[in-house]
Each structure stands twice: as structure tokens, then as C-alpha cells.
Amino acid sequence: MWVSLTTQLAICARFTPIDGQDTTQPLPYDPSSTIETQVRSSFATSLRQLRTTYLDSYILHSPLDTYAKTLEAWRVLIGFQEEGRVRVIGLSNTYDPSLLTRLGEDSGRAVQVVQNRWYERNGWDREVVEWCRANGAQYQWVLSP
């Protein structure tokens, strides 16, 4: 059987909340600053390290510890997209389709990409995959052992 694959290079980065950071390493932001400042600083660090002025994708690595903080961070990503600095924005490590819907409704900007682990324990992420299909979002999966 012949399988033809196309390869497309995309420049992507994530904002990782402090809960997901290895605090023994240099942080891309000051954790005592506001969420907006953290996201902006992390974004600037990503651009600098990648030596670029834009990203194809910028993703919240996971929901933050409260919905209000998640929405605040999401609105910063929307701003980057409106400025033309990011093509698509999204969320990773979320397994609740209602959160994806709520973010879009409360911010006026739908989640455009979801990036999750793909494994049997989470039911192969069926509900989120279906949400993506129904809402025109891209689903990106990461295989987990």
C-alpha cells in the first residue's frame, strides 16, 4: 500500500502556567506578575528564542487554576491574533468540551485548535474530538505510552 504524506512546518509555542513549570529552571515570566503580563512575557520569550516575529500557533498549555484566569489569558491570545502575531490560538490538556464552548462564548473568539494526549484512559478523547468537528477546530493529538 502506498501512503502519501505531506509535511508542513508550523512555528508553535505554548504559555505554561506556573503549576506546569519546572521552577528549578529559568522561567519565561515573573510568576508574581498579572496573568496578562505573564502571557505577554512568555510570548516575547518564545518569539526571541524562536527568532521570529510571529507564530503559526500559540496555545494555553492547560487551563489555569480558575476559569477567570483562563479567560484572562485567553483574551491576551486573542489580542496577539488580532495584532497579526499569531495565526491560530488554542488550548491544550483540556478534556471538558463545555470549557471550550464557554471560552468562545465569553470572549467572542472560538477555540481554534485543541492539543491533547491521545490514549485509552481518556476514552481516546472522543467528546473533545467531536466538539472540534462540530465547531471547526483543529484537533492535534500527542501519543502517550
Side-chain angles (χ1 to χ4, degrees):
M1 176 165 85
W2 174 259
V3 177
S4 176
L5 300 176
T6 58
T7 304
Q8 182 180 21
L9 179 64
I11 303 171
C12 307
R14 296 179 185 180
F15 169 76
T16 302
I18 194 65
D19 299 5
Q21 293 283 353
D22 178 353
T23 56
T24 66
Q25 300 298 314
L27 296 173
Y29 56 83
D30 175 357
S32 68
S33 61
T34 66
I35 296 299
E36 178 179 357
T37 301
Q38 290 176 32
V39 175
R40 289 185 179 284
S41 178
S42 183
F43 182 77
T45 298
S46 293
L47 292 180
R48 186 173 55 257
Q49 290 176 342
L50 292 167
R51 297 183 180 145
T52 187
T53 58
Y54 82 98
L55 295 172
D56 292 302
S57 175
Y58 197 56
I59 295 174
L60 295 180
H61 190 205
S62 62
L64 283 77
D65 61 352
T66 68
Y67 177 74
K69 289 179 183 178
T70 302
L71 181 59
E72 182 179 355
W74 182 248
R75 286 184 170 139
V76 178
L77 270 61
I78 290 170
F80 294 150
Q81 191 174 46
E82 289 175 347
E83 295 164 4
R85 301 169 75 192
V86 176
R87 190 172 58 81
V88 297
I89 55 176
L91 186 59
S92 143
N93 296 309
T94 186
Y95 301 93
D96 178 3
S98 67
L99 173 63
L100 300 169
T101 298
R102 188 175 175 198
L103 270 178
E105 289 173 351
D106 292 348
S107 69
R109 181 74 46 98
V111 173
Q112 299 153 1
V113 61
V114 176
Q115 189 179 78
N116 279 347
R117 288 182 180 85
W118 179 263
Y119 58 125
E120 187 174 9
R121 191 172 66 208
N122 74 353
W124 305 111
D125 216 10
R126 285 184 185 99
E127 290 180 359
V128 174
V129 170
E130 192 52 45
W131 183 93
C132 289
R133 279 189 188 126
N135 290 279
Q138 183 182 41
Y139 183 85
Q140 299 175 348
W141 52 272
V142 178
L143 286 176
S144 293

